Amino acid sequence: MKKNKRQKVEEWLIRHEDFLTITALERKIGFSRGVLYKFLKGKRKLKTYEIKQIDRFVKDMIFNYLE
């Protein structure tokens, strides 16, 4: 079964949490401080627009690497 965007983003964040600098990622994407930290600790869900912003950021990062 194909994963939806929310599943892909949430799994990517959880899988790579150990080497991501969460505050730098929040700053780069333009989130308030603590949004991703609270998600990773299970204290809040990510909103749909946050999922879209993270998805766009990851895709841009990969696309820029491939250039």
Side-chain angles (χ1 to χ4, degrees), residues 17 22 26 33-43:
E17 173 186 9
I22 301 303
E26 289 171 336
R33 200 168 146 232
V35 169
L36 294 177
Y37 178 80
K38 288 176 185 175
F39 162 74
L40 290 167
K41 298 304 172 196
K43 296 181 180 180

Side-chain angles (χ1 to χ4, degrees), residues 17-63:
E17 173 186 9
D18 58 336
F19 70 87
L20 290 173
T21 306
I22 301 303
T23 53
L25 186 58
E26 289 171 336
R27 210 174 314 122
K28 185 73 173 173
I29 297 173
F31 290 170
S32 297
R33 200 168 146 232
V35 169
L36 294 177
Y37 178 80
K38 288 176 185 175
F39 162 74
L40 290 167
K41 298 304 172 196
K43 296 181 180 180
R44 96 187 269 280
K45 275 184 72 173
L46 293 171
K47 297 175 181 166
T48 303
Y49 75 89
E50 294 167 338
I51 292 290
K52 289 178 182 177
Q53 286 179 288
I54 296 167
D55 184 64
R56 189 175 320 117
F57 174 78
V58 172
K59 285 179 181 175
D60 287 346
M61 188 172 55
I62 292 168
F63 180 73

Side-chain angles (χ1 to χ4, degrees), residues 8-25:
K8 282 193 257 183
V9 167
E10 289 178 349
E11 287 176 10
W12 184 85
L13 285 170
I14 292 167
R15 189 175 332 119
H16 299 297
E17 173 186 9
D18 58 336
F19 70 87
L20 290 173
T21 306
I22 301 303
T23 53
L25 186 58

